[in-house]
Each structure stands twice: as structure tokens, then as C-alpha cells.
Amino acid sequence: MGYKMIVLDLDDTLLKNDRTISARTKKTLLEAQAAGVKVVLSSGRPDFAVKPIAKELELEKHGGFIVSFNGAKITDCVNGNELFSAGMSAEAVHKLFEMSKAEGAFIHTYIGDDIIASEMNEYTDIEKQITGMNIIVPSDFKAYIKNDVVKVIVLQSPEKIKVIEEKWKPIIKNELYMTTSKPFFLEFMNPSVDKGKSVLRLAQMLQISAAEIIAFGDSCNDISMLEAAGTGVAMENAVERVKSIADYVTASNENDGVALAVERFVLNK
């Protein structure tokens, strides 16, 4: 199989637990790019928090791409151009705010390079640590959100998020795309997007077939892109739902799982 695109989730997949890329994985991905394979970073993170990793992997030099916000935005790393974007209306955000408040959950979204939170909480603090973005807590959250946004996260303990997700499924239906990235992050995007759909959008632009894509992930928001790719690879540390749909399970993010699979399937070592 001749792969032309490697698609990588970031947290708990490409990145180790300390949020760094191992030397072996970096070397392997640079070698794949030198051979003409496109590398795509596909994350629930805002693009602001993906760009430093794209720079480290030299995606600008090799013609790579970023799929951010769980597929709601596609960016060309060569010139920074936005190739695709799909937002949620302010009205949808306001509705989620009221629903979250009724459940005793927190909510935040993004405007520019800032996190806009309903109130300070330990889970939004985790997002700040992951992304390096500033947090703004407006006095009136709904009034502050006047225009479309790309993503909203509802936050609470894993136990409460499970209950909220099941309770909201018949309410949300197909009005929004709802998924989890971490056990305490319930994420919402435009219903026309998910990681898989946007990876295929990008592949079509590049005239790359699904069979020529290998994708890596660990969490529920990665399932769509593992299913869309010709080869879907789950990390050893992935949740069981991801492992169950994957074509192959590699080593963990702490043990060069990405490098091992790229060496085997892409570089044919």
C-alpha cells in the first residue's frame, strides 16, 4: 500500500504525556515527509494550539496541513490560508449555555486566540494548560457571544459528562455534532463536520484517495477519521471503542506508537 497522507491526533497519540514529541517519532515523520507523504495534524484543539507542533514537524516546509476544532477548520501550513471553516450560530451557543447551567456544568468557547468561559473552573484550566491560550470570563457570557464560533465545550466531571451526554442525545439529535475528546470535555461543532469528514475534504482537494490515508487516534472524536482512512491505527492507550474499530493497534503514545506504525506501513521498514 502506498500511503500519501498521515493523519495524526495530537494529545495521547502523537504527543507523549508531557506533551512533547519523541525524538524517534519526529525523525520518522520528517523522513516520511521527505519521501513526499503529507502530514496532517488533526485535533480537537484550536489551530492556535496546533501551530507550534506543526512548526516543530516542519509542515510549512513539506506542505502539511492542520485540521483543528475536530474538523471545523482546515489550514494550509505553507501559507496559513484557511481552506475550510464551519461555525455554530450564537443562538446555538446560548442554548448550550442555558442547558449547561441547568445541569450544573461549565461551558467555554473560543474567540480569536482566547478561551471565553462561563466561569472559572478546573476543567477550563486544563484546556489553558493544553493550549496555552488565555481565559476570559465575561460578566455576561451570552451577551459576549454575538457571532458564530467554531466549537463549544461543556465541562464537568467524567461521571457527570456521561450522564449529560446520554440525556442530551435525543435533544441535540443532528442539530450539532457532539463528541468527547477527554472524559471531562463534551464538545460541540457544526453538524457538517467531524475529523473524518474534514480529512476526506482535504484529501479530495489534494486528489488523494481514502485508501492512501493512514490515520492515528486514541479517543472517541478520532473514530470518524480512523473509519474514513484506508488504515485506521489505534494507540495501545486508546479507549476500547477506538481499538474495536481500528485496523491495527500500535504501541502507546509513551512508547513511540506512531513511529513504529509509520515505519512499518509507510516507510516499509
Side-chain angles (χ1 to χ4, degrees):
M1 173 64 69
Y3 294 101
K4 295 182 179 179
M5 181 184 288
I6 300 168
V7 185
L8 300 158
D9 171 57
L10 298 187
D11 298 294
D12 304 312
T13 298
L14 171 65
L15 303 180
K16 296 167 61 181
N17 294 342
D18 63 2
R19 303 194 186 108
T20 64
I21 305 172
S22 76
R24 180 176 180 178
T25 296
K26 182 177 178 179
K27 178 177 179 293
T28 300
L29 292 173
L30 289 174
E31 185 177 346
Q33 289 181 97
V37 181
K38 298 295 183 185
V39 168
V40 179
L41 302 180
S42 179
S43 176
R45 290 186 182 198
D47 46 349
F48 175 89
V50 184
K51 287 176 181 176
I53 300 162
K55 184 176 181 180
E56 182 177 356
L57 291 175
E58 301 180 14
L59 265 60
E60 179 181 356
K61 175 182 175 182
H62 296 287
F65 299 85
I66 293 171
V67 174
S68 55
F69 294 107
N70 283 320
K73 187 183 285 190
I74 302 173
T75 305
D76 185 337
C77 292
V78 173
N79 49 32
N81 287 348
E82 186 178 289
L83 304 181
F84 171 82
S85 182
M88 296 168 51
S89 69
E91 290 75 19
V93 182
H94 297 169
K95 180 179 177 180
L96 287 171
F97 170 77
E98 294 296 345
M99 291 169 64
S100 301
K101 191 163 64 170
E103 297 293 341
F106 310 104
I107 186 172
H108 74 231
T109 186
Y110 309 85
I111 296 178
D113 294 338
D114 296 313
I115 301 167
I116 314 302
S118 58
E119 57 186 282
M120 293 302 295
N121 64 89
E122 61 183 294
Y123 305 106
T124 295
D125 283 344
I126 293 172
E127 180 74 341
K128 178 180 179 179
Q129 292 167 21
I130 292 171
T131 64
M133 299 171 78
N134 293 322
I135 301 171
I136 295 174
V137 181
S139 56
D140 187 332
F141 181 84
K142 287 171 66 175
Y144 199 88
I145 308 301
K146 299 175 182 177
N147 301 308
D148 288 3
V149 301
V150 239
K151 188 176 82 164
V152 166
I153 304 184
V154 172
L155 316 99
Q156 247 302 347
S157 67
E159 297 76 20
K160 289 184 179 178
I161 285 296
K162 284 181 182 178
V163 172
I164 292 171
E165 183 179 16
E166 290 305 313
K167 183 176 179 179
W168 286 6
K169 279 180 181 178
I171 300 170
I172 298 296
K173 296 180 182 177
N174 295 321
E175 291 182 19
L176 295 169
Y177 168 48
M178 179 172 70
T179 189
T180 54
S181 58
K182 292 188 178 293
F184 37 80
F185 286 172
L186 185 59
E187 308 198 3
F188 297 85
M189 281 71 55
N190 184 291
S192 69
V193 304
D194 59 34
K195 285 190 177 185
K197 289 175 183 174
S198 286
V199 165
L200 292 179
R201 282 186 179 99
L202 176 60
Q204 187 175 26
M205 294 176 199
L206 301 175
Q207 297 185 315
I208 292 173
S209 70
E212 295 169 317
I213 303 170
I214 183 168
F216 294 76
D218 73 287
S219 196
C220 292
N221 63 329
D222 298 318
I223 289 174
S224 64
M225 73 176 186
L226 266 61
E227 290 180 329
T231 302
V233 181
M235 309 305 290
E236 190 278 329
N237 53 286
V239 299
E240 288 304 317
R241 280 181 61 194
V242 175
K243 289 181 181 178
S244 71
I245 61 92
D247 300 300
Y248 181 77
V249 178
T250 188
S252 74
N253 65 315
E254 285 289 291
N255 293 289
D256 293 313
V258 167
L260 289 167
V262 170
E263 288 166 0
R264 174 175 177 175
F265 292 109
V266 181
L267 299 176
N268 299 310
K269 291 186 176 181

